[in-house]
Amino acid sequence: MTLNETHDATLKSWVSSANDGATDFPIQNLPFAAFRRRGTNEAFRPGVAIGEAIVDLGALRQAHPFEGAAADALQACADTHLNALMALGPKAWSALRLALSRALREGSAQRTLIEPLLVPQADAEFTTPARIGDYTDFYISLHHATAVGKQFRPDNPLLPNYKWVPIGYHGRASSIGVEQVFPRPVGQQRPPSENAAPAFGPSQRLDYELELAIFVGQGNPQGERIALGDAETHVFGLGILNDWSARDLQAWEYQPLGPFLAKNFASTISPWIVTLEALAPFRAPWSRPQEDPQPLPYLSAPENQAHGAFDVQLEVLLTTEASRARQAAPAALSRSNFRDAYWNVAQLITHHTVNGCNLQPGDLLGTGTLSGPQASEAGSLLELTAGGKQPLTLPWGETRTFLEDGDQVIMRAECIKPGYPRIGFGACVGTVSAARP
């Protein structure tokens, strides 16, 4: 993905809030979502963020403002979600992004057409940006895998396959949502002794997992692999993912087939998808320590090593019923960076399809918990509290080992580069309510 005029750091928009250095959504970003006006029965439709506003693409398409590939891409925004646009491929996505960039710049003659179609983000509600047909969750943070592995296997935290193959499992797509409020999951928990019956009830060790969401654009026919050099042309963009985990349910059920009820009750994503094109200025080299096994040839290429990583900073914040009652600021729990992941986006796409698996537009790939090398960069409470043994003290005096009812987890992500506008991802927000009887 090469730089073009949409990445010009000097560009300004006639939408004044897009020129505020604190915004997630300057004109250099232009992420996509599916929205409608809050409290209405309107159909959801695609939109693009600019500052504090949303360009209503569903309404804009009826005005036929663009030509060529951009016009075709805009007409694909007639649906409630982005799947039809995703299916068109990177040339169409880039053409639409360029046309929107030009239309939203200072001095654009199309301001009079577009300005009445802006919807304040504060007045909007969102659904998942795509109809998610399939969901795969990976496990690509060496630091997370090692920290968790040490809690169960102190002398051998990583299994032999970890450094050779991107580990993943197929998750539940139906319970993925935005701005979720969900009841505490209930299920079986490990028996107190070997011959006893398992306990049953609400999870007492509910946790979050800080991840990024990778949205598939164009898919591949079943039986055809996606080569590493082509992998990113099949990626529409990235969002934030909180793949909640009931650790006590998981500890009892995960052998021999992996998590089930511990993970399928809810997965929360941010409404916005930041395109790979918008992230082009934040590419970074990807490397593997020399003493580690190097990727097999199908997962290795000079271009991927030179530019395969993304410098995306992530943050987890927490509010509680008590903190919100006091109007206290959210507590910052940790920060990490996607750049530190053991595998990268292109490698995940290639590995997912090397056996002939067919991806489809709107499919979601989770990165797995993104923890950094320092203890303060842990992407879960399981790591931050050493499995519940070291409670966290929050600024307003409460403590936490795992999540309690009323707790709200806020995840954010951003890209920062000297001399370039900050690119944000919006927020991924989920709240735990009491278990249902």
Side-chain angles (χ1 to χ4, degrees):
M1 192 68 68
T2 57
L3 300 181
N4 57 47
E5 66 181 80
T6 67
H7 301 105
D8 184 347
T10 66
L11 292 180
K12 301 293 183 183
S13 174
W14 50 260
V15 180
S16 59
S17 59
N19 304 323
D20 178 352
T23 184
D24 277 8
F25 309 123
I27 195 170
Q28 291 82 0
N29 192 348
L30 303 179
F32 290 81
F35 81 102
R36 68 182 178 189
R37 288 177 176 83
R38 190 177 299 275
T40 72
N41 292 320
E42 297 174 350
F44 286 100
R45 64 268 194 190
V48 162
I50 180 71
E52 297 176 0
I54 304 170
V55 180
D56 186 339
L57 297 181
L60 183 62
R61 59 174 286 274
Q62 299 179 42
H64 302 282
F66 307 141
E67 297 179 350
D72 294 339
L74 184 58
Q75 289 306 305
C77 296
D79 199 358
T80 55
H81 294 76
L82 293 163
N83 298 64
L85 175 63
M86 292 171 159
L88 294 181
K91 290 184 179 179
W93 311 333
S94 184
L96 178 57
R97 187 170 175 277
L98 174 60
L100 288 167
S101 174
R102 290 173 174 172
L104 291 166
R105 295 175 196 175
E106 286 182 335
S108 170
Q110 292 181 309
R111 174 176 180 172
T112 56
L113 171 65
I114 295 178
E115 194 162 20
L117 306 181
L118 296 182
V119 176
Q121 289 187 37
D123 296 341
E125 63 179 333
F126 300 88
T127 187
T128 58
R131 286 186 297 273
I132 300 168
D134 282 299
Y135 165 45
T136 301
D137 195 30
F138 282 97
Y139 194 52
I140 68 170
S141 170
L142 176 72
H143 307 294
H144 173 69
T146 302
V148 173
K150 283 181 177 177
Q151 295 186 26
F152 302 98
R153 301 178 300 276
D155 298 328
N156 188 27
L158 293 180
L159 296 177
N161 62 354
Y162 188 84
K163 293 184 177 182
W164 287 102
V165 58
I167 303 297
Y169 73 97
H170 295 295
R172 183 76 183 176
S174 64
S175 53
I176 299 173
V178 299
E179 300 177 347
Q180 287 181 316
V181 179
F182 62 90
R184 179 177 296 272
V186 171
Q188 294 188 26
Q189 295 145 43
R190 187 186 298 277
S193 60
E194 183 174 348
N195 296 319
F200 179 82
S203 170
Q204 300 302 307
R205 293 165 66 88
L206 184 60
D207 201 356
Y208 60 80
E209 293 188 347
L210 174 62
E211 306 192 22
L212 283 178
I214 303 166
F215 281 92
V216 175
Q218 279 188 319
N220 59 299
Q222 187 175 6
E224 294 189 11
R225 305 168 181 168
I226 297 176
L228 189 67
D230 298 327
E232 289 185 2
T233 68
H234 293 263
V235 176
F236 184 71
L238 307 182
I240 309 170
L241 168 64
N242 182 352
D243 195 27
W244 310 88
S245 185
R247 302 294 184 185
D248 41 3
L249 275 61
Q250 186 171 348
W252 173 234
E253 72 180 7
Y254 85 102
Q255 292 177 326
L257 294 180
F260 182 42
L261 298 186
K263 305 284 286 184
N264 68 2
F265 56 91
S267 298
T268 309
I269 58 175
S270 54
W272 299 103
I273 302 178
V274 179
T275 62
L276 286 199
E277 186 169 43
L279 295 173
F282 305 98
R283 308 298 302 235
W286 178 88
S287 63
R288 178 71 59 80
Q290 288 299 315
E291 63 272 19
D292 283 5
Q294 298 306 299
L296 294 180
Y298 79 100
L299 292 173
S300 181
E303 181 66 19
N304 184 262
Q305 293 177 7
H307 307 290
F310 292 89
D311 187 358
V312 181
Q313 300 180 30
L314 303 106
E315 182 179 29
V316 182
L317 304 107
L318 179 72
T319 74
T320 69
E321 288 184 339
S323 74
R324 295 191 295 274
R326 301 178 191 179
Q327 298 184 326
L333 300 186
S334 67
R335 291 181 65 89
S336 60
N337 197 303
F338 186 33
R339 184 184 54 211
D340 294 324
Y342 202 68
W343 302 95
N344 60 47
V345 171
Q347 290 169 325
L348 298 187
I349 294 290
T350 293
H351 182 67
H352 204 310
T353 64
V354 73
N355 66 343
C357 173
N358 53 315
L359 300 178
Q360 301 180 82
D363 282 357
L364 175 63
L365 279 57
T367 60
T369 306
L370 293 173
S371 300
Q374 305 301 318
S376 61
E377 297 174 300
S380 68
L381 287 173
L382 182 68
E383 298 165 87
L384 285 173
T385 68
K389 298 175 184 177
Q390 301 172 9
L392 299 178
T393 300
L394 303 175
W396 49 88
E398 289 184 284
T399 61
R400 288 291 185 274
T401 52
F402 292 96
L403 297 171
E404 298 187 7
D405 294 348
D407 286 357
Q408 181 182 74
V409 178
I410 304 166
M411 295 179 175
R412 299 187 180 277
E414 62 182 1
C415 298
I416 299 175
K417 180 179 180 179
Y420 196 82
R422 171 183 171 274
I423 298 293
F425 285 64
C428 174
V429 182
T431 306
V432 182
S433 64
R436 292 176 180 165

